[in-house]
Amino acid sequence: MTLQGHLTTTNHNRDVVGMRYIYPVISRRAGGVSIGINLNVNNACNWRCIYCNVPNLTRGSPPPIELDVLEQELREFLNDVLHGDFMQRHVHEGDRQLKDIAFSGNGEPTSAKEFPQAIVLVEKILRDFGLLGSLKVRLITNGSLMDKPQILDSMRHLAKCNGEVWFKVDAGSKEGIARINDVTLNPQSHIQRLENCAKACPTFIQTCMFALDGAPPSEEDIAAYLALISQVKNVIQGVHLYGLARLSLQAEASRLSRLPPEWLETMGQRIRDLGITVYVSP
Ligand code: SF4
């Protein structure tokens, strides 16, 4: 589940450490290093967002996760970051701090059968490194599986590990969701999943907005989005509103363009007017 402007497994990132599941994201904007965990090594997702920047994206779920490889890679990389020379070799002096660990891959992380075990593993490793409770563990998800009891159990577990969920809501109507995320989804069911998730673990909504064929989201689309998210305003931590930070690698790429920062700021204010905390990243 990729997020515009956040973690993605670009070749550059992969090349830095050459691992299968772990990749670093060095961000000047965030002022530090994030450790990304990509469980979807086959670039398969159960959604197909038209802005998605995963190359050769296919529908599906990941192959079995080799938990021993994940463990070895995470330990090795944490060692390099905390006790080795990773920071000196790759990170600008002012940005040499570890910001978080994020499940954010080339597909939906919770669709991995071993996702619950992966959380257990991260908890164990963070405890061994003395980071449990101090380092944030984020899950970047499209939220589509947040009605499964075992996934919600994992969210409760994640909450105990200083966890946080970023849950995707890009549109408020069935048509809008089909147009942007290329899935058939009842918005009411999606918001119910969001509520389930937010009750289990601190949860932010993440929303990507852009112009399609030169036109920004219509007033009708915006009204549907605001009406939908206002239903959960008392259980979410806030909204991260993103513009099109990276190039889409989907067939619709040429139809997408960035919205002016002022447009996104105005949109952010409309969400704030509902009484919701908003972070805008144009
Ligand atoms: S949820 Fe959307 S943006 Fe995230 S990996 Fe799947 S298709 Fe890409």
Side-chain angles (χ1 to χ4, degrees):
M1 161 79 249
T2 65
L3 170 67
Q4 296 296 313
H6 198 65
L7 306 178
T8 51
T9 62
T10 63
N11 285 335
H12 171 71
N13 288 330
R14 275 185 186 285
D15 288 349
V16 169
V17 290
M19 292 179 168
R20 191 186 317 170
Y21 296 115
I22 300 295
Y23 63 100
V25 175
I26 303 157
S27 168
R28 301 257 19 221
R29 181 147 90 175
V33 175
S34 278
I35 299 179
I37 300 179
N38 173 30
L39 300 179
N40 306 73
V41 291
N42 58 347
N43 297 2
C45 188
N46 58 351
W47 286 19
R48 194 195 68 84
C49 307
I50 59 174
Y51 57 78
C52 182
N53 55 5
V54 171
N56 304 314
L57 179 72
T58 54
R59 296 268 186 183
S61 52
I65 309 300
E66 294 185 55
L67 290 163
D68 52 338
V69 175
L70 175 59
E71 172 160 14
Q72 187 209 326
E73 289 188 352
L74 186 52
R75 286 187 185 279
E76 199 181 303
F77 187 60
L78 270 169
N79 244 324
D80 197 13
V81 167
L82 298 174
H83 311 302
D85 60 359
F86 177 85
M87 291 292 196
Q88 282 73 23
R89 278 187 290 130
H90 298 291
V91 188
H92 190 271
E93 205 174 342
D95 303 330
R96 288 180 187 159
Q97 47 175 321
L98 187 53
K99 303 297 279 190
D100 67 3
I101 290 190
F103 285 90
S104 173
N106 290 356
E108 170 53 37
T110 64
S111 66
K113 242 193 270 110
E114 301 80 0
F115 179 75
Q117 290 104 296
I119 300 273
V120 173
L121 195 63
V122 167
E123 180 187 31
K124 183 174 86 174
I125 295 171
L126 288 182
R127 182 178 291 118
D128 290 351
F129 278 85
L131 292 171
L132 187 64
S134 59
L135 192 67
K136 195 60 96 186
V137 183
R138 294 201 163 87
L139 166 67
I140 314 298
T141 177
N142 62 25
S144 53
L145 302 173
M146 292 291 175
D147 45 10
K148 308 263 179 267
Q150 72 275 21
I151 303 294
L152 289 169
D153 279 348
S154 291
M155 295 307 102
R156 283 182 273 276
H157 191 176
L158 186 62
K160 290 190 189 136
C161 306
N162 192 19
E164 185 178 282
V165 180
W166 291 25
F167 189 113
K168 183 175 284 298
V169 181
D170 289 328
S173 67
K174 200 171 173 184
E175 298 70 35
I177 294 169
R179 189 168 62 239
I180 297 172
N181 308 115
D182 199 7
V183 278
T184 305
L185 210 67
N186 177 341
Q188 255 343 104
S189 312
H190 196 51
I191 216 70
Q192 184 58 57
R193 283 190 284 273
L194 172 45
E195 192 174 334
N196 298 342
C197 178
K199 284 179 175 166
C201 184
T203 298
F204 285 84
I205 287 177
Q206 47 156 332
T207 299
C208 178
M209 289 195 176
F210 51 88
L212 186 59
D213 299 323
S218 68
E219 195 46 46
E220 194 186 346
D221 285 334
I222 294 169
Y225 170 82
L226 292 173
L228 191 69
I229 68 164
S230 68
Q231 294 182 44
V232 288
K233 66 179 181 183
N234 294 326
V235 290
I236 58 168
Q237 305 295 309
V239 171
H240 289 278
L241 177 62
Y242 278 80
L244 208 56
R246 290 167 181 271
L247 271 187
S248 163
L249 290 178
Q250 309 313 309
E252 294 84 353
S254 63
R255 298 175 54 201
L256 273 49
S257 55
R258 300 183 72 165
L259 290 161
E262 310 77 53
W263 192 99
L264 282 164
E265 279 301 338
T266 305
M267 185 64 218
Q269 191 52 50
R270 290 182 71 174
I271 302 170
R272 273 183 209 112
D273 291 344
L274 298 173
I276 297 173
T277 303
V278 183
Y279 303 91
V280 180
S281 306

